[in-house]
Structure formats: structure tokens, C-alpha cells
Amino acid sequence: MNLKGIHHVSALTAKAPENFKFYTEVMGLRLIKKTVNQDDTSVYHLFYGDEKGNPGTELTFFEIPMAGRNHDGNNSISAISLRVNNDDALHYWQGRLKDHGIETEGIKDRAGRSTLAFRDPEGQRMILVSDENNRGVVGGQPWSKSTTPKEHAIVGLGPVRLTVPAAEPTIGVLTELLGFRKKGSYSPELAGQPDIVVLETGEGGSGAEIHVEERNDLPQERLGRGGVHHVAFRVDNEEELRDWIEKVQTSRFPNSGFVDRFYFKSLYFREPNRILFELATDGPGFDTDEELEHLGESLALPPFLEPHREDIEAKLKPLQTKQ
């Protein structure tokens, strides 16, 4: 068994319409699925991605209206990366974000790659990372109707950073249970802190990396809008997922067991620093219940929620989708 890379990352938003506007109009991503939180159908669960919503390109948001702001800290997924093709694209994004009133930290080297860090309007910690000279998991295909030029468009998820009070327990789960490999390390931005450890899985590269930052000087993060709920890793198919479930259960990690999310199948568990991991299958995919050309245009519901469509739609505010 071998995890193939990052499948998706799920974060929190307090305002789904504003979130939709920013990630489609400013960031140029495609809304590939407009659905609801299966655990609370009164709010949206929005999926953004590439042309087809390929695994490894999916950035998702749970809507929690009136959620307080995220209090950054420890035991957290402290940064999400989005891949672009090359260093030139970072210069384009530096100007584009400035034009939309978004401040950036400037282009910096992280783990041997050029990067551009910024926060979205709700404070979400984002890093654009250049794939120039990157080898490993191939990126996705930008949406043909994106608001950004194809040559500069976002092509998928990049490294995910975890910030924990003690790195070794998290690194142990990633390497010994999940099969990640230690790739190297790089210096943190704050002097006096341990190096950030880089781990990779599958074919490696920016689409298959986790960066573990040890910070024992921080309080525990209080999750809110602008925070990240969980990171999911790619599993090839359902048969392999069931093997992973057995392995996680044998290792005595409390876990969700098999979960059918309709667009993919999943397992959830928390590692020792309380960060939520998900293992998710590559399929069936987001065109299971919608034609590829019309992904995200209407509210999609899994079959078990379809009988409740009228009640669900009545509780949701429109996103004003114009696709």
C-alpha cells in the first residue's frame, strides 16, 4: 500500500458567497461541487479544483455562519499551498493579489522552491508554490473558463504545513503508519526554532509533501473561520482503503471506520498531536452526478439526501453562481 499524495484540504468559512467570489473570481479556481455538509445540511460544503476536480487539486470549505476568527497556534494545519507552473507565475500573482487588495509576504524560498505567502479575506494562510523544476506528482489541468491566464493558473495543492508542539509523534505516524519518507528539512522563518521537516509519499514532489514544524512556544490553535479542518491523502481505490482501515485499527488509533462520501470513500483519524487526517479514494469522482461541463452549477446532493432537497434548498443562501 502506498499513498499517492495529497487528495484534498478542507477549511472553514463563515460566508460562503464571499468565499465563492474570492476563490473563483480572484484565484481562478473552478467550483466543481456545490453541496452541503453531510453532517449539517443547513450549510454549504464547497469544492474548488481544476477542470475536472482531479484528486490533488481539491480545496474545500465547510460553511459555519457566524464562526469566530481562527486563533492561530499549535496542533494545527497552519498553511495550505497551491501550485503554479513556474517562478514567473509567482510574479503574476504578486501583482494580481495586490490589485485585489491582498497583501503578500513577497517571494521567498521555502524547501528549495520559490513561494508567495498571503492570507485570504478571512485570514486563511495560503502559500503559492512554484513547480519550476519540480518532479513528482503531476499537477491538474486549469479550467478553460478560469479568470486567470492558463500559463499562470493554479494547478493543484502543494505542501501542507503542520505545526505541532512535538514533531516526533507526528513524524512517526506519517512514516511508520502511513509510509511517508523523510526528504529533508529547511530553516524556519523564526530564528531559534527547529528546522521544518519535509516528508513525501508516492511519486513525491510538491503535490505529495507534508512539512512538519515544531513550535512548543505556541498556545493550542482555536479553530474558526480562516482555519483548516483536515488534510486528506490519496488512496487508489476502495479495496486499498479497506486495507488501510484494517492497518489503522490494528494500530489502535480511534477512527471513523469506512465512510461513503459518494464522490469518494474515506477514513478519518487523529494523530497524536490531534491533527485530523483523512484517507480518501481517487474515485468515483465529481462527475458521478453531474455532467463535466456543468460541475458546480446547481446544488448536488448524494442519493441519501435527495428526498430532502426542497427543505435543504430552502435553508441555503444563493451563491449567485454565474457559470
Side-chain angles (χ1 to χ4, degrees):
M1 295 188 299
N2 195 8
L3 299 176
K4 299 167 67 175
I6 297 167
H7 186 283
H8 68 267
V9 176
S10 292
L12 303 184
T13 178
K15 299 179 179 179
E18 287 85 346
N19 180 274
F20 165 75
K21 183 179 179 67
F22 179 77
Y23 283 97
T24 57
E25 295 184 10
V26 178
M27 302 307 296
L29 296 174
R30 183 180 190 183
L31 181 68
I32 55 173
K33 192 63 60 177
K34 178 171 63 173
T35 186
V36 293
N37 185 339
Q38 293 182 16
D39 299 317
D40 181 0
T41 61
S42 68
V43 294
Y44 284 111
H45 188 185
L46 304 179
F47 291 75
Y48 305 100
D50 71 347
E51 182 91 45
K52 298 181 179 180
N54 283 305
T57 73
E58 302 157 17
L59 176 60
T60 97
F61 287 88
F62 297 111
E63 183 189 24
I64 302 181
M66 306 302 291
R69 69 176 178 84
N70 195 72
H71 291 266
D72 300 350
N74 235 324
N75 308 90
S76 67
I77 299 170
S78 56
I80 303 169
S81 297
L82 299 172
R83 300 164 64 181
V84 294
N85 281 326
N86 50 45
D87 294 355
D88 285 344
L90 293 181
H91 293 282
Y92 165 82
W93 279 101
Q94 192 171 28
R96 181 177 178 84
L97 290 169
K98 181 180 179 181
D99 290 344
H100 286 276
I102 302 294
E103 294 184 5
T104 69
E105 291 184 2
I107 297 173
K108 296 180 180 180
D109 182 277
R110 289 180 173 87
R113 300 187 185 98
S114 295
T115 65
L116 181 68
F118 68 97
R119 288 179 180 256
D120 82 358
E122 291 185 299
Q124 190 68 243
R125 294 154 289 184
M126 312 293 296
I127 302 174
L128 290 167
V129 57
S130 168
D131 263 0
E132 191 158 314
N133 301 318
N134 178 59
R135 296 179 181 179
V137 176
V138 177
Q141 294 296 320
W143 187 32
S144 60
K145 298 180 182 179
S146 174
T147 57
T148 58
K150 184 176 182 179
E151 64 271 22
H152 298 319
I154 292 166
V155 295
L157 293 170
V160 173
R161 188 178 70 209
L162 313 180
T163 297
V164 295
E168 281 308 313
T170 298
I171 291 172
V173 169
L174 288 166
T175 56
E176 296 169 21
L177 178 65
L178 299 181
F180 277 74
R181 309 175 296 273
K182 288 188 178 180
K183 181 180 180 181
S185 62
Y186 61 100
S187 298
E189 295 180 10
L190 185 63
Q193 297 295 330
D195 284 355
I196 297 172
V197 178
V198 178
L199 302 107
E200 66 177 4
T201 189
E203 296 178 1
S206 59
E209 285 182 4
I210 294 292
H211 295 186
V212 181
E213 175 187 41
E214 183 173 285
R215 290 288 302 275
N216 56 22
D217 60 322
L218 298 174
Q220 183 169 326
E221 179 158 301
R222 285 164 42 197
L223 190 61
R225 67 178 188 274
V228 183
H229 188 265
H230 67 268
V231 56
F233 305 120
R234 292 176 60 189
V235 175
D236 193 48
N237 54 50
E238 182 177 330
E239 181 181 1
E240 191 168 304
L241 176 65
R242 292 189 182 277
D243 290 338
W244 278 109
I245 292 171
E246 182 178 354
K247 185 175 183 180
V248 170
Q249 291 178 342
T250 300
S251 299
R252 298 186 178 180
F253 281 94
N255 63 88
S256 66
F258 181 85
V259 178
D260 187 347
R261 294 301 188 194
F262 188 60
Y263 306 111
F264 46 86
K265 322 296 183 181
S266 296
L267 165 75
Y268 300 84
F269 74 98
R270 291 190 185 274
E271 53 80 54
N273 279 299
R274 305 300 299 157
I275 293 171
L276 184 60
F277 288 162
E278 178 183 357
L279 306 184
T281 60
D282 275 359
F286 291 96
D287 57 355
T288 301
D289 56 352
E290 293 181 301
E291 294 181 2
L292 185 61
E293 310 87 72
H294 300 292
L295 293 179
E297 293 182 8
S298 59
L299 182 69
L301 296 175
F304 73 92
L305 290 178
E306 191 61 47
H308 310 289
R309 174 176 289 274
E310 186 175 348
D311 290 339
I312 290 172
E313 288 184 330
K315 296 176 183 178
L316 296 171
K317 296 180 181 179
L319 291 182
Q320 297 180 328
T321 306
K322 297 180 180 179
Q323 296 182 22

